[in-house]
Amino acid sequence: MPERLVYAFTDGTAQMRELLGGKGANLAEMTRLGLPVPPGFTITTVACRDYYRSGGKLPQGLLDQVGAALQGLEAVTGKGFGDPANPLLVSVRSGAAVSMPGMMDTILNLGLNDATAEGLARLTQDRRFALDCYRRFIQMFSDVVMGLDLGRFEGILAKARAAEGVADDHQLSAGSLQGVVAGYLREVAAAGRKFPQDPLEQLRLAVEAVFRSWNTERAKVYRRSQRIPDDLGTAVNIQAMVFGNTGSDSGTGVVFTRDPSTGRPGIYGEFLVNAQGEDVVAGIRTPMPIAGMAEALPGSYLRLLDLCELLEEHYGDMQDIEFTVEGGQLFLLQTRTGKRTAAAALRLAVDFVSERRIEPEQALRRVDPAQLETVLHRGIDPQAKVNVVARGLPASPGAASGLAVFEADAAEARAAAGYKVILVRPETTPDDIHGIVAAQGVLTSRGGMTCHAAIVARHMGKPCVVGCDALVIDAGAGSCACGEVVVREGDLISIDGATGRVILGAVPLVEPELSEDYRVLLGWADAARGLGVRANADTPADALKARQFGAEGIGLCRTEHMFMAPDRLPVVQEMILAEDAAGRGKALARLLPMQRGDFEGILEAMDGLPVTIRLLDPPLHEFLPNAEELSLEIQELRHRGRPAAEVAQREALLKRVRALAEFNPMLGLRGCRLGLVYPEIYAMQARAVFAATVNLLKRGRDPQPEVMIPLVGMRTELEQTRDAILTVMRDVFDKAGVERHVPVGTMIELPRAALVADEIAELAEFFSYGTNDLTQTTFGFSRDDAEAKFMHRYLDLKLLSANPFATLDERGVGRLMLMGVELGRKARPGLKVGICGEHGGDPASIDFCHRIGLDYVSCSPYRVPVARLAAAQAKLKHG
């Protein structure tokens, strides 16, 4: 017996999400609850996966099952599919298990042809309505299924509006629409195609088109940005049409059961009279706020309020509901968990707990850790004088400045070149997703608070202003105008997603204030998590910021960043150019008080909390001038006849630069190797750490330094370097009369270190995984070269499921980490182990760190809240 690939809405439940997709499962659930859902059926995600496995062929027996389901739908509705006397029309919509709003395709009014369109006109006694449905179907089908350019059809529609002197499509007369339909069919024929008149053929082609939409470039870009697996596939929902475009007693809308931007109670959404659903979500017309429905269709509005409350209570979360009113009767077309901003996610989680709808543990699972970064986004300084040129709808909070660009490709290209950009479009479509990902923010002239741009930007945490109809955008010319103000491609603009303002030029930004909801939720997270959370910080200001965000210490203080300051670089170069240890000692003596001040400031900022200080790590040549530039400078000095002594000094510098040059600096004289070749460098840094500790102790502070030796691969390297540091520690503390022990540990960033971790742990008091270098040395990848030249191709070819520099490679790098933990703790029970690479702020990597038993993760200050929540979720998931 063939596998079941089709389920009527009456046969499913909300628990069948992976099989029926989110939309299909929720339609089935609402049907089960007895809510007003137009009948229909779902083709499963299994069928989609089979379609791809077979090279683009529909699974055997699928069309037979679809035919049987159609007969059932005909029996329920009393209409016939393809019957001119009483035609059954259906919508065909995608619906993956994970919500991907706007990324895949939809087709409405399927089943219309020349004969059924005439039959619909006779049946409804409304020729204008029937022709409006037919022109919509031709346009949508030609775009989604046949791949024709929508511009062909928009031009015909625009000419019809102009000829009749109307502003909107719904104002066109039946006569005009008859001409539009004829024009559309001519355009299809001119493209060398034949518009299918057989409804069954239309349905087959539409199902295949929805399957194909799973692998469109926009869908792949979205999945990559949201880390959604590529092998899930999409379901296809086939549902009897209800019509919001039958007149003034009909309409369509989208409503959230709470405000998706702020989380405030009360329904929030938009509504259009005499329209179909795509008019709202595609941003073709700017709709009215949902409150306007209370006056236009009061009975349906009251019924909608009741259903919103019922669905929110049933699902225990804010719902995003699509609905249609046909002839005064309300129908629900979809409900799903609503996308929300980070601020709204926090408020909703806390409110639902206070309303006793969910428990704190469920609230913690519900908030996406990555969203928390957006809570920390800056806004426009309220004291600043700004040049506001237009206002739109504030669709997603936060503020951003950037170069105006008018095409998604341009946004991606300029962002890749290092520029910050604002994507400006009449409205966005799913094909613009790569531009939205690349942009700092999005500005559109059309669309409402539930249009594509608004939903996607909110979910990504990007500022967005929509429906700014004062802007006249000419994307082809690369410009937009608001009155006499013209903004051209590359001009600097700003948008304020909190107020809807569009501003000429850049704006000063201010730091956000953390809400009480943020504090409450992160308090629950801290109580639930097992992993500690530290921050990577190199200055007292960064340390204070990290502490403000809840860091429990500093997991990585990179001392090389301190040496690059303009007032220190000449002294560092003097030290490097010295001919002997005595010469180096003179320069180091000048650096010592500077370093002591650095450490004193950071240790004071983190008073009472551990601060792991990594000794100097990068190759020495990084502190010296570029050899080619220096050579050119010498030639210029000679050409200008400069004194011989000046030329000789630069020549000596060039000689030293070339002597220090390495074929592969990342694997050369750096880390502990530098401390072994030039032991006086590490001795100076150690003395600075311990002297800073003494000074703070004398002032009644509680400094908690930890000294970390980088790039250790052998026990012998660690032993010699550690002994030298301990000698300095005893000297400083004995002279000061201080009894104090400072832990000395190492950074595990070489595969060999993980393989012999038991030997290293005999001497190291803690391990900290430097996962950036560990990933480079395990894969044999240079990060800069890999990400610039071939990483994108590896991801496209599915050779890697994720960029290993963003998310830990568990099978390779992770296996080395686990081995290091087990061997290290075998040799030194209770060994403290953390991670200080960038992976320490990645939720998936944090989950792995919890599973292998690390003590803490460390990340950038602004990712500390992300790590706190991700660590709690890992604990709740794995125990």
Side-chain angles (χ1 to χ4, degrees):
M1 187 172 179
E3 182 178 8
R4 184 176 182 183
L5 299 173
V6 176
Y7 286 76
F9 292 167
T10 52
D11 294 337
T13 69
Q15 284 67 49
M16 299 170 70
R17 187 181 192 88
E18 291 187 8
L19 182 66
L20 303 179
K23 185 175 296 182
N26 285 334
L27 285 167
E29 185 74 3
M30 288 194 293
T31 299
R32 189 180 67 82
L33 294 172
L35 304 187
V37 175
F41 56 90
T42 300
I43 299 173
T44 66
T45 56
V46 173
C48 180
R49 294 194 290 271
D50 287 348
Y51 174 82
Y52 281 104
R53 274 195 291 267
S54 65
K57 295 180 180 179
L58 291 177
Q60 187 174 7
L62 174 62
L63 292 179
D64 292 336
Q65 293 185 39
V66 168
L70 268 176
Q71 290 177 0
L73 194 54
E74 288 175 325
V76 172
T77 61
K79 300 177 180 180
F81 193 59
D83 180 4
N86 189 15
L88 169 65
L89 305 183
V90 298
S91 63
V92 181
R93 287 186 167 97
S94 61
V98 179
S99 178
M100 296 171 55
M103 290 302 108
M104 292 176 290
D105 290 324
T106 292
I107 300 167
L108 305 180
N109 306 310
L110 189 140
L112 281 173
N113 54 27
D114 293 345
T116 54
E118 289 296 328
L120 184 63
R122 288 192 300 269
L123 185 69
T124 60
Q125 297 183 339
D126 189 343
R127 185 170 183 78
R128 192 217 156 274
F129 159 70
L131 290 170
D132 184 47
C133 292
Y134 196 18
R135 70 93 185 163
R136 290 169 182 269
F137 173 55
I138 297 170
Q139 185 171 344
M140 200 174 286
F141 191 92
S142 299
D143 169 35
V144 171
V145 179
M146 305 177 81
L148 300 184
D149 183 6
L150 275 176
R152 295 171 175 263
F153 305 102
E154 288 293 343
I156 293 171
L157 202 56
K159 287 180 181 178
R161 289 195 300 266
E164 203 162 347
V166 299
D168 294 317
D169 302 341
H170 72 277
Q171 296 171 308
L172 290 172
S173 66
S176 290
L177 288 169
Q178 182 74 58
V180 168
V181 167
Y184 280 9
L185 292 174
R186 282 195 299 271
E187 281 296 330
V188 175
R193 311 291 292 276
K194 183 178 180 182
F195 194 83
Q197 293 289 308
D198 179 0
L200 286 174
E201 183 186 3
Q202 294 172 358
L203 184 57
R204 176 182 62 80
L205 293 172
V207 169
E208 291 191 61
V210 172
F211 283 164
R212 288 196 304 272
S213 72
W214 173 255
N215 260 352
T216 58
E217 191 59 31
R218 68 189 187 225
K220 288 190 285 188
V221 169
Y222 184 86
R223 286 200 295 274
R224 198 153 53 236
S225 72
Q226 302 301 311
R227 297 185 180 180
I228 299 171
D230 283 326
D231 58 358
L232 297 180
T234 182
V236 182
N237 298 289
I238 297 166
Q239 188 173 25
M241 282 293 302
V242 288
F243 301 97
N245 58 329
T246 59
S248 60
D249 62 348
S250 301
T252 188
V254 176
V255 65
F256 292 81
T257 56
R258 305 196 186 199
D259 187 329
S261 290
T262 66
R264 282 194 296 264
I267 68 166
Y268 176 95
E270 294 167 326
F271 176 72
L272 274 172
V273 174
N274 198 17
Q276 287 198 335
E278 288 302 299
D279 295 344
V280 176
V281 296
I284 295 168
R285 289 166 57 187
T286 299
M288 69 175 74
I290 193 67
M293 185 180 170
E295 184 176 341
L297 298 169
S300 297
Y301 178 73
L302 292 174
R303 175 68 169 142
L304 179 64
L305 291 178
D306 290 340
L307 293 178
C308 285
E309 175 60 29
L310 186 153
L311 286 169
E312 186 178 89
E313 182 67 31
H314 181 74
Y315 283 99
D317 203 352
M318 179 187 78
Q319 294 298 291
D320 170 3
I321 301 165
E322 291 181 22
F323 66 92
T324 287
V325 179
E326 179 185 307
Q329 185 176 357
L330 176 69
F331 294 93
L332 302 183
L333 306 182
Q334 171 177 292
T335 192
R336 62 186 173 194
T337 300
K339 300 294 184 188
R340 62 206 68 185
T341 65
L346 290 170
R347 175 161 184 173
L348 289 168
V350 173
D351 281 358
F352 272 70
V353 172
S354 65
E355 294 168 14
R356 301 184 183 280
R357 299 188 185 213
I358 60 174
E359 295 298 321
E361 292 77 13
Q362 193 174 351
L364 289 170
R365 291 187 178 100
R366 183 169 287 179
V367 179
D368 180 358
Q371 274 192 306
L372 287 183
E373 278 188 280
T374 67
V375 175
L376 312 176
H377 284 182
R378 296 175 292 173
I380 296 176
D381 185 346
Q383 305 302 318
K385 293 182 179 179
V386 296
N387 183 7
V388 178
V389 294
R391 288 182 182 270
L393 300 173
S396 184
S401 299
L403 306 181
V405 293
F406 297 89
E407 299 286 353
D409 290 345
E412 187 175 51
R414 291 245 190 176
Y419 295 98
K420 293 182 177 180
V421 301
I422 304 294
L423 180 62
V424 184
R425 299 285 294 154
E427 72 265 346
T428 63
T429 72
D431 290 326
D432 294 318
I433 184 64
H434 57 298
I436 298 174
V437 169
Q440 300 295 306
V442 182
L443 169 63
T444 72
S445 59
R446 296 201 291 264
M449 303 289 277
T450 55
C451 70
H452 174 267
I455 290 175
V456 174
R458 270 199 300 269
H459 185 53
M460 292 185 176
K462 294 178 183 284
C464 180
V465 175
V466 301
C468 188
D469 53 14
L471 289 182
V472 179
I473 298 173
D474 187 341
S479 67
C480 67
C482 181
E484 296 181 357
V485 177
V486 177
V487 175
R488 293 182 173 83
E489 182 102 11
D491 287 350
L492 193 59
I493 64 170
S494 303
I495 59 171
D496 183 358
T499 64
R501 292 179 296 172
V502 180
I503 298 164
L504 211 56
V507 293
L509 302 178
V510 294
E511 297 298 324
E513 293 184 10
L514 300 179
S515 69
E516 185 59 26
D517 296 322
Y518 167 93
R519 301 180 199 283
V520 169
L521 189 88
L522 268 295
W524 293 338
D526 292 340
R529 62 184 165 90
L531 279 169
V533 177
R534 299 189 188 183
N536 301 339
D538 312 323
T539 66
D542 284 348
L544 287 171
K545 180 63 66 177
R547 192 159 193 162
Q548 177 189 347
F549 291 152
E552 298 165 319
I554 301 291
L556 175 63
C557 175
R558 292 157 287 210
T559 57
E560 57 273 7
H561 289 189
M562 303 167 183
F563 281 18
M564 300 299 289
D567 62 327
R568 303 181 188 192
L569 192 56
V571 185
V572 175
Q573 291 177 346
E574 178 187 329
M575 179 265 294
I576 295 170
L577 294 171
E579 296 294 332
D580 52 30
R584 278 190 297 277
K586 290 179 181 178
L588 289 168
R590 294 168 61 194
L591 287 171
L592 175 60
M594 301 178 189
Q595 280 272 270
R596 184 176 62 237
D598 294 331
F599 298 142
E600 200 166 325
I602 292 171
L603 288 166
E604 185 169 19
M606 300 302 290
D607 189 48
L609 297 176
V611 176
T612 304
I613 298 169
R614 182 179 72 185
L615 301 181
L616 192 65
D617 184 35
L620 288 182
H621 81 275
E622 291 190 6
F623 296 106
L624 297 178
N626 178 275
E628 291 184 14
E629 293 175 359
L630 195 54
S631 180
L632 290 172
E633 181 188 346
I634 292 169
Q635 292 179 37
E636 178 67 18
L637 290 173
R638 286 174 176 157
H639 178 72
R640 289 163 49 199
R642 300 297 298 170
E646 183 180 349
V647 174
Q649 186 273 335
R650 304 308 283 173
E651 286 178 332
L653 178 59
L654 176 61
K655 181 180 178 181
R656 188 64 171 148
V657 168
R658 285 175 171 163
L660 288 168
E662 296 177 300
F663 290 108
N664 191 338
M666 286 300 296
L667 300 178
L669 182 60
R670 53 170 289 220
C672 68
R673 302 159 194 169
L674 183 66
L676 290 165
V677 174
Y678 301 113
E680 55 272 16
I681 296 177
Y682 275 12
M684 180 277 290
Q685 289 194 292
R687 190 168 296 277
V689 171
F690 303 135
T693 302
V694 168
N695 288 348
L696 289 171
L697 287 170
K698 288 179 178 178
R699 290 164 47 200
R701 303 288 192 237
D702 182 20
Q704 298 286 335
E706 301 174 341
V707 176
M708 182 160 67
I709 300 170
L711 214 72
V712 165
M714 298 179 285
R715 184 185 191 279
T716 50
E717 290 175 317
L718 178 61
E719 184 173 21
Q720 190 163 329
T721 309
R722 172 181 173 272
D723 287 350
I725 291 167
L726 292 177
T727 297
V728 174
M729 181 173 68
R730 285 191 292 270
D731 178 57
V732 173
F733 286 169
D734 287 350
K735 287 179 179 177
V738 168
E739 289 191 14
R740 189 84 165 190
H741 176 71
V742 174
V744 178
T746 188
M747 200 172 197
I748 305 293
E749 47 194 326
L750 296 173
R752 191 181 194 279
L755 294 169
V756 297
D758 50 346
E759 298 176 12
I760 292 174
E762 291 174 0
L763 299 172
E765 295 175 81
F766 63 86
F767 284 174
S768 180
Y769 282 103
T771 49
N772 181 37
D773 274 2
L774 186 58
T775 299
Q776 292 193 96
T777 52
T778 301
F779 274 96
F781 287 170
S782 159
R783 178 176 184 174
D784 291 341
D785 293 326
E787 293 188 329
K789 293 183 172 67
F790 63 84
M791 185 61 70
H792 66 283
R793 184 61 176 157
Y794 269 46
L795 295 172
D796 288 343
L797 292 172
K798 307 292 191 298
L799 301 179
L800 289 167
S801 60
N803 180 348
F805 295 106
T807 297
L808 272 169
D809 162 52
E810 294 187 18
R811 290 177 60 80
V813 176
R815 189 169 296 180
L816 285 170
M817 291 175 66
L818 177 59
M819 181 184 300
V821 171
E822 292 175 341
L823 288 173
R825 286 180 175 157
K826 183 178 180 182
R828 183 186 286 266
L831 176 73
K832 183 171 64 178
V833 185
I835 176 177
C836 61
E838 292 176 40
H839 298 96
D842 171 63
S845 303
I846 291 169
D847 185 274
F848 176 74
C849 291
H850 173 86
R851 281 183 274 131
I852 65 171
L854 296 196
D855 294 295
Y856 68 87
V857 297
S858 189
C859 55
S860 70
Y862 282 90
R863 301 199 83 185
V864 165
V866 175
R868 290 164 66 191
L869 179 56
Q873 291 179 343
K875 176 72 171 180
L876 292 172
K877 182 177 179 181
H878 303 291

